């Protein structure tokens, strides 16, 4: 209750917090009020008052939220010059909206401002002089039009759109525009004199001193000459004051290394020199009082303000480049570490197989198939051997030249010497080939590891490598400008496929929700060929009032899966292995592997295949490359190894597509309403044949589809596959069906083999984003025919 009372009551703390939140808006309101007030009453050449329309055009096109305060300032400034000037400014403001027409918008804005000013003045002066306008008035009208043109250029150069105005660094062009506009504002403040202090002179000398402290001789001299020129021209006299200001700025910048005190004394010294040199100059007590006051205020300016201005005008980019280089190095190192881990995994995967196969070769039986079918087997290989085994061992160890004598001894003791010699030769060739294969496997693993080490060493030796690329933000901004979408800022936070994230800052006045759904999301899709959704939209007041809209990659579908698996012997291990995991929010991977048999070896083989495929896919290896690599690895096996089937499915949840790769696996079934589609396997299991090809099948999926991946343990050998598939289609119409019920139904209906069984049951559903203004109706599963 106390907190609620505090919220209802008035506190100064709330007022200060509100001012803090809206300080940028308040500052802009004050700036445009002051600019409009003084620019509306600037008088040049004792006749021209040209600067109301440029400030009006600027606020109309870029800062509409600050229009009321601009109108108030311009109205007050015009009133000080008389009612006629108010009417002239009102006529100019009434003509300006024509610029927004399409056929006129092709005219450059500064040129349109010139035409507006001249047309208004011609009409006004024609009425005032009853159709006979003097030549001097025509000349003043021309001056006013030209000055308005240049003032428009300077104002738009200085006042960039809000985010750029606050965050973009100051260039020499913007600084020149700011100085010229400031000098013209000072001419409008010529009547602001308080005692011995003139506000325009005070501000002019303060700016010169600050310019000397920031940029030295060059900047101080330019600022001083510019201020002296504008202030002198506004009075059409005392052109000698330009030299006074120039020398003042030059001496102030020259004494910058000696500190502020010497700068202040040098400015006073230049003034006293010209007092003694030329008595006609208006260097009176007001000028000196203003100069002294400006020097005192110069001492009161904090050093951090001077440093900030210096960083804006003369930024030190070495720090930024070092940070950029450090960031790039860390990023590339992280990527290389991931590659190194993957290379180590491949190395271990191959090395494990290499070690195990080596042991098998040493433990192979010494008996021959020819001997086992011979009637003298016991005489040769029994306890009382005639020496045949010893002769065969000697034959394997000897060279080709020494084997001739051994072969003659084998002929005396063996009844089938020719077949024995041939089998010995085949065994030797097979052993050599197997050794070469094992060497190739080990060499492949070592080369892969060396590649990772080489790349790691290479990146450590790079010092100044930077990648130049076109900014995604610039592409989005260009598209927004082409579609006339108002915006403040665009930030692309992530460009990974399926994980893209873009933040748009839009004006408060824009219909952000409608613009986002109807225009911005299609633009993103056109740029990246990926659907997007609006995940958040909120109004912020810091650092300026805007709407922040966050767009992320849209996942149009979701897949709910149910898995049933069992082993034939009710053991903890099964010859089947499965995995369902997300590669990223928009891509789901489903893998089902069936090892040959239902023993522990089949379990290990299917698990090894599953682990390899999962690691490869997580490391962003192409699925087809993964399948070929796995086949190559398993084709290096010998006769003692088992094989495994693989069923890989990648479900694109954004586009609604199923990509299927199969190697010896059972068919995948897609149930849609009363129809059933079958994705069949045309390829043998991994490692089964020395040659291997695989192709991907693509199938579109829709809301309400059912996907079924299964192993061969759920098929009965007593019933044709076609009849079983028809039964699948029938029982899958049940909306309560799941993987376990599916298997139980089959066990009740058919005599299933005693094998491992795995069923992956998946249901596809639409994802309706929260931002959507519509909701799709439920899919009618059984309504297949169109009603005319």
């Amino acid at each position: 209750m106390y907190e609620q009372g505090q919220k209802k009551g008035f506190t100064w703390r709330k007022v200060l917090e509100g001012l803090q939140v809206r300080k940028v808006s308040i500052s802009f309101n004050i700036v445009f009020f002051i600019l409009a007030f003084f620019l509306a009453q600037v008088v040049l050449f004792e006749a021209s008052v040209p600067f109301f329309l440029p400030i009006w055009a600027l606020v109309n096109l870029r800062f509409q939220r600050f229009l009321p305060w601009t109108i108030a300032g311009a109205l007050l400034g015009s009133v000080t010059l008389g009612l006629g000037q108010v009417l002239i400014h009102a006529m100019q403001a009434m003509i300006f909206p024509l610029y927004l027409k399409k056929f006129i918008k092709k005219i450059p804005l500064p040129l349109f401002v010139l035409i507006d000013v001249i047309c208004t003045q011609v009409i006004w002066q024609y009425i005032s002089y009853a159709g006979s306008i003097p030549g001097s008035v025509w000349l003043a009208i021309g001056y006013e039009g030209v000055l308005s043109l240049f003032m428009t250029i300077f104002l738009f150069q200085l006042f960039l759109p809000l985010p750029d105005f606050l965050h973009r660094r100051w260039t020499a062009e913007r600084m020149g525009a700011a100085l010229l506009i400031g000098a013209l504002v000072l001419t409008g403040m010529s009547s602001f004199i308080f005692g011995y202090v003139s506000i325009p002179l005070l501000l002019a000398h303060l700016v010169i001193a600050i310019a000397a402290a920031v940029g030295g001789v060059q900047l101080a001299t330019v600022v001083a000459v510019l201020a002296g020129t504008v202030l002198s021209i506004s009075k059409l006299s005392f052109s000698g004051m330009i030299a006074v200001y120039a020398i003042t700025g030059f001496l102030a910048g020259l004494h910058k290394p000696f500190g502020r005190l010497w700068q202040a004394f040098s400015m006073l010294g230049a003034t006293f020199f010209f007092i003694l040199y030329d008595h006609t100059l208006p260097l009176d007590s007001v000028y000196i009082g203003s100069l002294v006051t400006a020097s005192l205020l110069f001492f009161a300016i904090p050093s951090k303000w001077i440093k900030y201005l210096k960083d804006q005008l003369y930024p030190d980019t070495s720090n930024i480049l070092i940070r950029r280089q450090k960031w790039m190095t860390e990023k590339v190192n992280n990527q290389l570490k991931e590659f190194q881990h993957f290379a180590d995994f491949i190395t271990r995967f191959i090395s494990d197989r290499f070690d195990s196969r080596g042991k098998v070769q040493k433990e192979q039986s010494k008996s021959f198939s020819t001997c086992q079918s011979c009637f003298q087997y016991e005489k040769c290989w029994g306890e009382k051997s005639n020496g045949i085994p010893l002769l065969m061992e000697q034959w394997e160890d000897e060279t080709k030249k020494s084997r001739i004598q051994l072969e003659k001894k084998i002929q005396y003791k063996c009844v089938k010497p020719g077949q024995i010699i041939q089998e010995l030769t085949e065994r030797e060739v097979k052993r050599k080939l197997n050794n070469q294969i094992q060497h190739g496997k080990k060499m492949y693993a070592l080369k892969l590891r060396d590649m990772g080490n080489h790349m790691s060493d290479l990146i450590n030796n790079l010092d100044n490598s930077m990648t130049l690329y076109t900014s995604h933000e610039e592409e989005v901004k260009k598209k927004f400008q082409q579609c006339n979408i108002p915006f403040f800022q665009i930030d692309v936070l992530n460009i990974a496929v399926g994980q893209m994230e873009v933040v748009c800052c839009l004006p408060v006045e824009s219909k952000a929700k409608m613009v986002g759904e109807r225009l911005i999301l299609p633009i993103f899709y056109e740029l990246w060929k990926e659907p997007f959704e609006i995940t958040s939209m909120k109004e912020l007041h810091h650092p300026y009032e805007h709407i922040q809209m966050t767009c992320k990659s849209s996942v149009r579908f979701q897949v709910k899966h149910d898995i049933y698996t069992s082993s034939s012997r009710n053991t903890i291990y099964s010859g089947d292995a499965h995995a369902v995991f997300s590669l990223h929010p928009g891509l789901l991977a489903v893998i089902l592997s069936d090892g040959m048999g239902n023993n522990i070896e089949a379990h290990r083989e299917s698990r090894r295949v599953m682990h390899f495929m999962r690691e490869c896919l997580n490391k962003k290896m192409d699925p087809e490359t993964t399948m070929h690599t796995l086949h190559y690895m398993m084709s290096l096996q010998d006769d003692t190894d088992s094989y495994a089937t693989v069923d890989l499915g990648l479900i694109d949840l954004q586009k609604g597509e199923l990509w299927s790769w199969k190697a010896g696996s059972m068919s995948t079934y897609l149930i849609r309403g009363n129809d059933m589609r079958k994705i069949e396997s045309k390829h043998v299991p991994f490692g089964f044949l020395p040659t291997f090809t695989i192709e991907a099948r693509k199938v579109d999926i829709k809301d309400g589809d059912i996907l079924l991946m299964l192993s061969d343990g759920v098929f009965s050998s007593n019933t044709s596959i076609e009849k079983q598939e028809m039964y699948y289609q029938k029982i899958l119409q049940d909306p309560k069906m799941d993987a376990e019920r599916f298997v139980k139904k089959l066990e009740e209906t058919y005599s299933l083999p005693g094998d491992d069984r795995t069923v992956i049951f998946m249901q596809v559903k639409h994802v309706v984003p929260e931002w959507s203004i519509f909701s799709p109706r439920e899919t009618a599963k059984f309504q297949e025919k169109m009603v005319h």
Side-chain angles (χ1 to χ4, degrees):
M1 292 178 63
Y2 173 76
E3 291 179 356
Q4 291 178 356
Q6 286 293 103
K7 290 180 180 179
K8 293 179 181 178
F10 173 82
T11 58
W12 286 106
R13 184 176 180 178
K14 291 183 180 179
V15 175
L16 293 177
E17 289 177 354
L19 293 176
Q20 184 70 19
V21 168
R22 291 175 173 80
K23 62 180 181 181
V24 174
S25 298
I26 295 173
S27 301
F28 269 92
N29 280 321
I30 295 173
V31 168
F32 283 121
F33 176 83
I34 295 173
L35 280 178
F37 177 77
F38 287 110
L39 290 179
Q41 60 178 347
V42 171
V43 177
L44 294 177
F45 306 111
E46 296 183 349
S48 299
V49 189
F51 299 142
F52 162 77
L53 190 58
I55 188 70
W56 179 265
L58 172 70
V59 177
N60 260 283
L61 295 179
R62 286 188 178 174
F63 305 94
Q64 288 188 355
R65 290 195 293 119
F66 310 116
L67 199 58
W69 285 87
T70 306
I71 294 174
L75 185 62
L76 290 175
S78 302
V79 168
T80 59
L81 297 177
L83 182 60
Q85 199 61 44
V86 174
L87 295 176
I88 291 175
H89 288 168
M91 292 173 62
Q92 292 175 352
M94 292 171 64
I95 296 176
F96 181 75
L98 295 176
Y99 179 72
L100 301 178
K101 303 297 182 181
K102 289 185 179 180
F103 62 94
I104 296 181
K105 205 168 184 178
K106 297 180 180 180
I107 301 175
L109 179 62
L111 183 59
F112 181 81
V113 170
L114 180 145
I115 296 171
D116 189 352
V117 169
I118 290 179
C119 291
T120 304
Q121 285 290 353
V122 168
I123 295 172
W124 180 263
Q125 300 300 336
Y126 187 84
I127 297 174
S128 300
Y129 289 95
S132 178
I133 304 176
S136 59
V137 175
W138 281 109
L139 184 60
I141 292 174
Y143 283 151
E144 186 171 352
V146 174
L147 290 173
S148 298
L149 182 144
F150 285 107
M151 190 61 177
T152 304
I153 296 174
F154 293 142
L155 281 172
F156 276 82
Q157 180 72 35
L158 173 60
F159 289 97
L160 301 176
L162 259 180
D164 295 333
F165 182 82
L166 294 176
H167 303 297
R168 183 173 290 185
R169 290 190 176 276
W170 284 74
T171 61
E173 292 79 6
R174 286 187 68 194
M175 178 57 68
L179 292 174
L180 184 60
I181 293 170
L184 291 172
V185 169
L186 292 180
T187 63
M189 302 170 63
S190 58
S191 60
F192 286 73
I193 300 176
F194 303 94
Y196 292 101
V197 178
S198 171
I199 299 299
L201 295 176
L202 168 67
L203 295 176
H205 286 95
L206 184 61
V207 171
I208 292 172
I210 294 173
V214 172
V217 176
Q218 183 178 5
L219 183 61
T221 305
V222 171
V223 171
V225 171
L226 183 60
T229 302
V230 174
L231 292 175
S232 299
I233 290 177
S234 64
K235 297 181 180 180
L236 293 177
S237 59
F238 306 114
S239 57
M241 289 299 295
I242 297 177
V244 177
Y245 283 102
I247 297 300
T248 301
F250 174 77
L251 292 178
L254 192 64
H255 289 85
K256 174 191 173 183
F258 303 101
R260 298 191 190 185
L261 182 62
W262 281 95
Q263 287 180 277
F265 277 124
S266 64
M267 294 172 66
L268 291 171
T271 301
F272 287 121
F273 170 78
F274 276 98
I275 289 175
L276 298 175
Y277 179 78
D278 189 353
H279 296 284
T280 62
L281 296 175
L283 302 175
D284 52 8
S285 57
V286 174
Y287 184 90
I288 296 174
S290 303
L291 178 57
V292 171
T293 306
S295 301
L296 296 175
L297 290 176
F298 177 57
F299 287 116
I301 294 177
S303 299
K304 62 180 181 180
W305 292 8
I306 303 293
K307 186 177 181 302
Y308 173 77
L309 291 174
K310 187 175 182 180
D311 291 340
Q312 289 292 321
L313 293 176
Y314 306 100
D316 183 11
T317 57
S318 59
N319 248 350
I320 299 175
L321 291 176
I322 291 174
R323 289 199 299 269
R324 171 76 176 177
Q325 180 183 350
K326 183 179 179 181
W327 175 80
M328 287 288 294
T329 303
E330 291 177 354
K331 183 177 180 181
V332 176
N333 281 339
N334 289 334
Q335 294 177 347
L336 281 176
K337 286 179 182 178
E338 288 187 3
F339 178 80
Q340 186 68 32
H341 293 329
F342 180 66
D344 292 340
F345 164 74
I346 295 290
T347 304
R348 291 195 304 270
F349 184 85
I350 301 176
S351 298
D352 292 342
R353 288 178 169 271
F354 180 80
D355 295 337
S356 63
R357 297 301 170 262
K359 295 178 182 178
V360 171
Q361 290 296 325
K362 293 179 181 179
E363 297 174 1
Q364 282 183 346
S365 175
K366 297 180 180 179
S367 62
F368 290 76
S369 58
T370 303
C371 295
Q372 291 177 0
S373 62
C374 182
F375 66 94
Q376 291 188 352
Y377 179 78
E378 290 296 331
K379 180 181 178 181
C380 296
W381 294 90
E383 293 181 357
K384 296 181 180 181
S385 175
N386 60 0
I388 285 292
L390 181 61
L391 289 175
M392 291 183 177
E393 289 181 3
Q394 292 176 356
W395 188 93
E396 290 178 345
D397 296 334
E398 294 293 336
T399 60
K400 290 184 177 180
K401 293 181 179 180
S402 304
R403 291 175 178 174
I404 298 175
Q405 298 297 330
L406 294 173
E407 290 176 357
K408 289 181 179 180
K409 292 181 180 180
I410 293 174
Q411 289 177 0
Y412 291 138
K413 297 183 178 183
C414 180
V415 296
K416 298 179 180 180
Q419 296 178 6
I420 289 294
I421 299 300
Q422 183 179 359
E423 192 166 350
L424 280 171
T425 306
E426 290 178 353
R427 181 175 288 192
E428 181 186 21
V429 172
K430 185 176 181 180
R431 185 175 64 252
K432 288 182 179 180
L433 180 61
N434 187 65
N435 290 336
Q436 291 176 354
I437 291 175
Q438 301 301 328
H439 175 71
K441 288 163 58 177
K442 188 173 182 179
M443 182 177 62
Y444 175 72
L446 294 176
K447 281 188 174 182
L448 193 58
R449 185 184 62 187
D450 293 341
M451 183 188 301
N453 294 333
H454 173 71
M455 293 185 67
S456 181
D457 295 337
L458 182 63
I459 196 62
N460 290 331
N461 296 328
L462 296 177
D463 294 326
N464 298 314
S465 64
M466 293 181 63
T467 304
L468 302 177
Y469 60 93
T470 304
S471 174
H472 292 276
E473 286 89 349
E474 295 300 325
E475 295 180 5
V476 178
K477 289 178 181 178
K478 185 177 179 181
K479 285 289 185 181
F480 277 27
Q481 291 169 356
Q482 291 176 354
C483 299
N484 294 323
I485 300 175
F487 67 93
F488 291 146
Q489 189 171 342
I490 305 293
D491 294 307
V492 178
L493 305 183
N494 195 347
I495 58 173
V497 177
Q499 305 176 61
M500 300 197 71
E501 183 175 359
V502 185
V503 178
C504 306
C505 296
L506 308 177
V508 177
E509 300 83 3
S510 63
K511 298 179 181 178
K513 187 178 182 66
M514 184 181 70
V515 171
E517 293 184 9
R518 302 293 178 84
L519 297 178
I520 294 179
L521 295 184
I523 288 176
F524 290 163
Y525 182 81
E526 181 184 354
L527 285 174
W528 294 300
K529 305 303 179 186
E530 187 166 342
F532 280 78
E533 63 177 341
I534 301 172
T535 56
S536 68
M537 187 180 298
K538 51 188 175 181
E539 183 175 343
L540 300 178
H541 299 280
H542 183 78
Y544 49 85
E545 295 178 355
H546 67 281
I547 293 177
Q548 187 182 85
M549 182 173 66
T550 303
C551 303
K552 294 184 180 180
S553 296
S554 173
V555 178
R556 298 168 52 205
F557 297 92
Q558 65 179 358
V559 175
K560 295 182 179 179
H561 67 276
D562 183 39
I563 300 174
Y564 176 86
T565 182
S566 64
S567 62
S568 61
R569 302 174 183 177
N570 294 323
T571 57
I572 59 174
Y573 57 84
S574 169
D576 296 343
H578 64 271
V580 180
F581 57 95
S582 295
L583 296 176
H584 58 74
L587 189 62
L588 182 69
V590 185
I591 307 175
L592 177 59
S593 177
D594 184 2
M596 294 300 180
N598 47 30
N599 53 15
I600 189 67
E601 290 298 329
H603 171 75
R604 289 175 179 172
E605 195 69 21
S606 61
R607 291 288 173 183
R608 187 181 292 115
V609 169
M610 183 66 58
H611 181 55
F612 180 86
M613 292 199 66
R614 187 161 188 165
E615 284 292 326
C616 291
L617 292 174
N618 281 327
K619 298 302 180 184
K620 298 180 175 58
M621 182 181 284
D622 184 82
E624 186 174 359
T625 305
T626 302
M627 301 286 278
H628 280 286
T629 304
L630 185 58
H631 168 71
Y632 172 72
M633 305 295 298
M634 298 191 70
S635 66
L636 299 180
Q637 304 174 139
D638 55 27
D639 296 338
T640 62
D641 286 308
S642 60
Y643 303 95
T645 67
V646 172
D647 192 351
L648 169 62
L650 294 181
I651 303 177
D652 191 330
L653 300 176
Q654 295 173 292
K655 298 180 181 178
E657 296 175 348
L658 167 64
W659 292 84
S660 178
W661 289 265
K662 290 179 175 292
S665 61
M666 302 304 295
S667 300
T668 297
Y669 298 96
L670 187 150
I671 311 298
R672 180 177 299 162
N674 293 325
D675 292 338
M676 183 173 71
R677 299 180 64 180
K678 183 167 65 172
I679 304 174
E680 295 180 318
S681 173
K682 298 181 180 179
H683 307 290
V684 297
F686 280 139
F688 194 80
L689 292 177
T691 58
F692 182 77
T693 58
I694 189 168
E695 296 177 357
R697 291 279 305 277
K698 188 191 82 166
V699 178
D700 294 332
I701 59 176
K702 297 181 180 180
D703 179 40
D705 287 352
I706 295 176
L707 298 173
L708 196 66
M709 294 174 63
L710 36 79
S711 61
D712 57 359
V714 298
F715 284 90
S716 173
S717 59
N718 300 326
T719 308
S720 65
I721 293 181
E722 290 75 12
K723 289 184 178 181
Q724 295 182 63
E725 290 175 347
M726 292 177 64
Y727 185 66
Y728 294 170
Q729 183 177 357
K730 178 182 177 181
I731 63 176
L732 287 174
Q733 301 299 323
D734 185 358
K736 297 181 180 179
M737 183 61 63
D738 55 21
E740 185 175 1
R741 291 186 62 190
F742 178 78
V743 176
K744 297 302 181 185
K745 285 275 189 181
L746 296 181
E747 289 177 345
E748 295 172 359
T749 308
Y750 302 106
S751 176
L752 298 183
D755 196 1
D756 304 318
R757 297 167 191 162
T758 301
V759 173
I760 303 177
F761 184 86
M762 294 170 283
Q763 291 179 307
V764 181
K765 293 292 183 182
H766 259 307
V767 176
V768 181
E770 296 179 357
W771 54 267
S772 181
I773 60 177
F774 65 92
S775 299
R777 61 179 182 175
E778 284 291 326
T779 303
K781 293 185 179 180
F782 303 101
Q783 187 176 353
E784 297 296 329
K785 296 182 179 180
M786 181 179 295
V787 179
H788 296 279

